[in-house]
Amino acid sequence: MTRHALDAQHYTSAETFALERERLFGRLWNFAGFASMVRERNQFFTRTIAGVPVLVQRTAAGVRAFLNQCPHRQSAIQTARHGRRPLVCPYHAWSFGDEGELRGLPNADLYGFAAEEKQAVCLTGFALEQVGELLFVNL
């Protein structure tokens, strides 16, 4: 029987990890946490899954998963590992709705967004599935 093994460099290679993130973890369902961690509205937890900052939060629409990054300056929306807080960026106080849509924009005149541009600004959402008490995210 012939055995094939990866070269040792693949176990620590940044290039191999980038390919795994793109071709493997980016397409599979990844365990993120437990539903008990987000029982109440605005409860959240954050994780890094395959190098991607993920935010899981209960909104009025249910449990949602987002890229934990504001579309404005890429600041984390939630900076703690877990807690209870609305979807508001701590950097410039942009606030987001239940599905990640932009809701509040302090000093909106400064940005000069046309109405259709403002509608296009939102959090990047990820697919989330609950199986029993387990929460899985697909990047």
Side-chain angles (χ1 to χ4, degrees):
M1 177 165 104
T2 305
R3 298 185 74 160
H4 299 282
L6 287 175
D7 291 332
Q9 69 183 9
H10 290 292
Y11 294 99
T12 57
S13 163
E15 293 81 18
T16 299
F17 182 53
L19 286 171
E20 287 176 340
R21 279 194 300 197
E22 176 189 336
R23 296 180 183 170
L24 184 63
F25 299 114
R27 295 180 182 182
L28 298 176
W29 289 93
N30 298 277
F31 172 72
F34 298 96
S36 61
M37 300 168 73
V38 286
R39 291 261 184 247
E40 299 175 27
R41 186 170 181 206
N42 287 330
Q43 272 189 309
F44 70 88
F45 63 87
T46 60
R47 295 282 185 269
T48 300
I49 299 174
V52 177
V54 175
L55 163 63
V56 176
Q57 182 149 344
R58 180 171 295 278
T59 70
V63 181
R64 299 293 186 260
F66 302 104
L67 178 65
N68 190 21
Q69 201 171 64
C70 182
H72 176 222
R73 294 284 185 203
Q74 287 70 55
S75 174
I77 297 294
Q78 303 294 14
T79 57
R81 291 192 46 80
H82 60 86
R84 186 172 180 195
R85 180 177 172 277
L87 291 166
V88 178
C89 177
Y91 189 57
H92 281 130
W94 287 24
S95 61
F96 300 88
D98 297 335
E99 301 293 343
E101 71 281 6
L102 183 63
R103 285 273 173 91
L105 187 63
N107 303 311
D109 317 349
L110 296 175
Y111 301 102
F113 285 138
E116 60 277 357
E117 288 175 313
K118 186 177 172 187
Q119 288 178 344
V121 176
C122 60
L123 298 178
T124 300
F126 296 127
L128 181 137
E129 288 292 329
Q130 182 171 340
V131 179
E133 283 295 304
L134 306 178
L135 299 174
F136 293 88
V137 173
N138 187 290
L139 304 176

